[in-house]
């Protein structure tokens, strides 16, 4: 694609990056069929290719309108289009850059600005979120059904977190909303890793990965969250440290995809560039860790005896896992090896509609995607549905009476360690 970027962005690192991305698109349209919003709205401007045209126009100097903003807002940033693109167009990065430009040109309504600001203040702040969640849970039964379904019910008991007794150690990101909604996820991870000789350590000062603010176009704020996490983790990895820490484990694929890209996000920050790249290298999704440790893990499944019976599971692979991290089949393989029967899920590549704050900011499209997803997940009558990201877990739970869990929780139950 020929480009001629406007002065407003031409000589910035974002401009150079956007230009390089735009030039890789050959307009083939292979991405259209896989785009959830194009499937629902059947409008080229709600497809990846259409949005790329819109973004090109804005970056070339045409002033964005509310319509431009609407089409970009409707994008889930699910990155399904990246998975199928034969030219390797890094659509997710392009939309991040362009949304920031549009945000400066198009004034949002006071109501929308307030909601977006509140989301940035509440979600990344675990203590505020915990208080509000507890209030919501206390009055849950009094709320209208529509709102009630979106308030997560009380968290499952997290059980025991094993003491740090092994030589091999890994850090884990607690994240922002996960400790309040599902503390059992990280505790289950700690128990499983403990069984294969790895101690899992929480680092108090590492919290939100920065994705919420960044994707709400408060990009500097998002970068500050990233820097804070790097500072919190760095003492375990600097050259003089000998803590025996091998990796940083992510149990929410949404955070994982962000932390794995810290090196890129901070590539223009001369103070953090090297540390960020190192942190990204050390970051692994829990499925990658368990895949690497298969030799130690697999024999444990043979000793589960009568603890759990064989059960049918439907696995929803989050977009951040399959399109962002490009991890395919790893969780499925671990669950099958553990003795679970996995159902076939039609259109498994399509987003469930959670997409960070999308379910709040685009409720209608999100609801449609949720209904479609629940239908496909339930079609083979699974006993349970499992996923790999707290946002998807909460969103899916709002659409079904079936219990939704993180896949690591059912693995923990299988090993009778909860
Ligand atoms: S598939 Fe890739 S190259 Fe083709 S139109 Fe979509 S983004 Fe452009
Ligand atoms: S990121 Fe998802 S919603 Fe956005 S254009 Fe790509 S496929 Fe469509």
């Amino acid at each position: 694609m020929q480009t001629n970027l406007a002065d407003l962005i031409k000589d910035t690192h974002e401009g150079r990056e956007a230009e390089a991305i735009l030039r890789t698109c050959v307009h083939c349209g292979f991405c259209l069929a896989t785009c959830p919003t194009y499937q629902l709205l059947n409008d080229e401007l709600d497809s990846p290719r259409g949005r790329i045209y819109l973004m090109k126009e804005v970056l070339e100097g045409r002033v964005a309108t509310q319509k431009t903003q609407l089409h970009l807002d409707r994008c889930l940033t699910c990155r399904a289009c990246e998975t199928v693109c034969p030219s390797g167009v890094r659509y997710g990065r392009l939309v991040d850059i362009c949304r920031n430009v549009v945000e400066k040109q198009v004034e949002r309504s006071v109501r929308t600005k307030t909601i977006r600001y509140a989301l940035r203040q509440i979600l990344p702040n675990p203590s505020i979120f915990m208080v509000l969640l507890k209030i919501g849970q206390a009055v849950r039964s009094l709320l209208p059904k529509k709102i009630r379904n979106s308030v997560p019910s009380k968290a499952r008991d997290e059980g025991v977190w094993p003491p740090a007794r092994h030589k091999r150690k890994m850090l884990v990101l607690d994240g922002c909303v996960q400790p309040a909604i599902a503390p059992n996820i990280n505790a289950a991870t700690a128990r499983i890793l403990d069984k294969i000789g790895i101690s899992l350590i929480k680092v108090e000062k590492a919290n939100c990965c920065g994705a919420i603010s960044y994707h709400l176009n408060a990009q500097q704020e998002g970068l500050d969250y990233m820097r804070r996490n790097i500072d919190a983790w760095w003492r375990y990895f600097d050259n003089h440290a000998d803590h025996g820490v091998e990796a940083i484990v992510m149990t929410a694929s949404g955070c994982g995809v962000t932390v794995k890209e810290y090196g890129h996000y901070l590539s223009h920050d001369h103070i953090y560039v090297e540390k960020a790249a190192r942190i990204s290298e050390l970051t692994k999704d829990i499925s990658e860790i368990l895949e690497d440790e298969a030799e130690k893990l697999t024999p444990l499944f043979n000793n589960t005896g009568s603890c759990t019976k064989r059960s049918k599971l439907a696995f929803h692979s989050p977009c951040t896992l399959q399109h962002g991290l490009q991890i395919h089949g790893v969780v499925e393989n671990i669950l099958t090896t553990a003795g679970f029967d996995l159902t076939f899920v039609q259109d498994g590549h399509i987003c469930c509609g959670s997409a960070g704050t999308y379910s709040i900011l685009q409720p209608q499209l999100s609801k449609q995607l949720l209904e479609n997803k629940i239908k496909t997940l339930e079609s083979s009558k699974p006993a349970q549905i499992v996923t790999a990201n707290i946002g998807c877990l909460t969103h899916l739970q709002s659409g079904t009476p079936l219990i939704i869990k993180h896949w690591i929780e059912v693995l923990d139950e299988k090993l009778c360690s909860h």
Side-chain angles (χ1 to χ4, degrees), residues 31 34-38 46-49 51 74-82 91-92 95 99:
C31 51
T34 202
C35 173
T37 54
Y38 183 66
D46 285 307
S47 79
R49 186 174 62 183
R51 291 186 178 114
R74 281 185 186 155
C75 169
L76 296 134
T77 329
C78 68
R79 294 168 66 180
C81 46
E82 288 188 19
Y91 173 91
V95 82
R99 277 177 173 150

Side-chain angles (χ1 to χ4, degrees), residues 42 64 94 108 163 189-190 256 387 391:
N42 204 22
L94 181 65
R108 292 186 185 273
T189 307
T387 186

Side-chain angles (χ1 to χ4, degrees), residues 24-32 48-49 52 81 84-89:
T24 53
C25 180
V26 294
H27 331 294
C28 64
F30 284 174
C31 51
L32 268 67
R49 186 174 62 183
I52 288 171
C81 46
V84 297
C85 175
S87 299
V89 173

Side-chain angles (χ1 to χ4, degrees), residues 138-166:
V139 297
R140 196 169 184 271
S141 57
L142 308 172
L143 299 171
K145 191 167 173 236
K146 212 170 128 194
I147 303 174
R148 190 184 345 153
N149 285 348
S150 57
V151 178
S153 44
K154 270 187 124 181
R156 278 182 287 284
D157 181 16
E158 69 180 297
V160 180
W161 188 296
R165 62 194 173 114
H166 299 292

Side-chain angles (χ1 to χ4, degrees), residues 67-321:
K67 192 167 150 53
T68 321
Q69 192 172 55
L70 176 70
H71 291 298
L72 296 189
D73 281 353
R74 281 185 186 155
C75 169
L76 296 134
T77 329
C78 68
R79 294 168 66 180
C81 46
E82 288 188 19
T83 297
V84 297
C85 175
S87 299
V89 173
R90 289 167 49 238
Y91 173 91
R93 191 57 202 135
L94 181 65
V95 82
D96 270 345
I97 295 169
C98 198
R99 277 177 173 150
N100 205 28
V101 175
V102 173
E103 197 71 18
K104 289 176 189 140
Q105 295 180 353
V106 183
E107 184 80 8
R108 292 186 185 273
S109 69
V110 174
R111 181 177 174 275
T112 311
K113 274 199 274 192
T114 310
I115 295 173
R116 291 170 76 93
Y117 179 76
L119 289 170
R120 278 172 33 218
Q121 297 311 308
I122 296 168
L123 296 180
N125 190 328
S127 43
I128 297 179
F129 181 76
M130 180 81 87
V131 170
L132 293 177
L133 180 66
K134 288 218 159 113
I135 295 170
Q137 286 167 338
V139 297
R140 196 169 184 271
S141 57
L142 308 172
L143 299 171
K145 191 167 173 236
K146 212 170 128 194
I147 303 174
R148 190 184 345 153
N149 285 348
S150 57
V151 178
S153 44
K154 270 187 124 181
R156 278 182 287 284
D157 181 16
E158 69 180 297
V160 180
W161 188 296
R165 62 194 173 114
H166 299 292
K167 204 166 162 223
R168 294 186 66 193
K169 294 182 186 66
M170 293 183 183
L171 307 182
V172 66
L173 176 65
D174 234 1
C176 46
V177 299
Q178 189 168 296
I181 298 175
N184 186 45
I185 294 174
N186 279 357
T189 307
R191 287 189 288 270
I192 293 174
L193 290 179
D194 181 66
K195 280 187 190 315
I196 56 173
I198 300 167
S199 290
L200 194 66
I201 303 165
K202 289 190 214 185
V203 179
E204 289 288 313
K205 287 186 180 152
N207 282 311
C208 178
C209 66
I212 292 172
S213 299
Y214 198 90
H215 295 303
L216 284 169
N217 294 327
Q219 300 195 347
Q220 286 311 317
E221 188 178 279
L223 294 177
D224 284 342
Y225 278 109
M226 296 177 199
R227 292 184 186 105
R228 244 171 275 159
N229 284 352
I230 292 170
D231 288 342
W233 289 323
W234 192 248
R235 68 186 178 93
Y236 293 91
F237 302 111
D238 74 22
N239 289 337
H240 310 292
D242 185 18
H243 296 283
V245 175
E246 298 172 21
I248 307 169
V249 182
M250 299 289 139
T251 55
S253 55
C255 307
V257 74
T258 305
V259 181
K260 277 215 189 191
E261 290 176 3
Y262 275 11
H264 187 82
Y265 286 120
L266 292 164
S267 59
H268 302 280
D269 179 327
H270 69 279
I271 297 174
Y272 280 85
V273 56
E274 283 175 23
K275 290 183 192 174
R278 178 90 181 105
I279 291 295
S280 291
E281 256 172 42
L282 288 158
T283 299
K284 293 210 166 148
D285 184 74
I286 180 61
S287 61
E288 296 176 287
I289 303 276
L290 295 189
E291 185 185 37
D292 290 346
E293 302 292 331
E295 262 183 44
K296 288 185 193 140
L297 185 68
T298 308
L300 300 180
F301 300 135
N302 301 327
N303 302 324
T304 51
S306 59
C307 190
T308 51
K309 53 182 188 306
R310 203 170 173 92
S311 74
K312 206 155 118 178
L313 290 184
F315 174 59
H316 166 62
S317 179
C319 301
T320 41
L321 189 76

Side-chain angles (χ1 to χ4, degrees), residues 11-30:
D11 294 323
T12 65
H13 63 261
E14 284 94 354
R16 285 186 283 273
E17 194 180 358
E19 186 160 45
I21 300 171
L22 281 171
R23 287 185 173 181
T24 53
C25 180
V26 294
H27 331 294
C28 64
F30 284 174

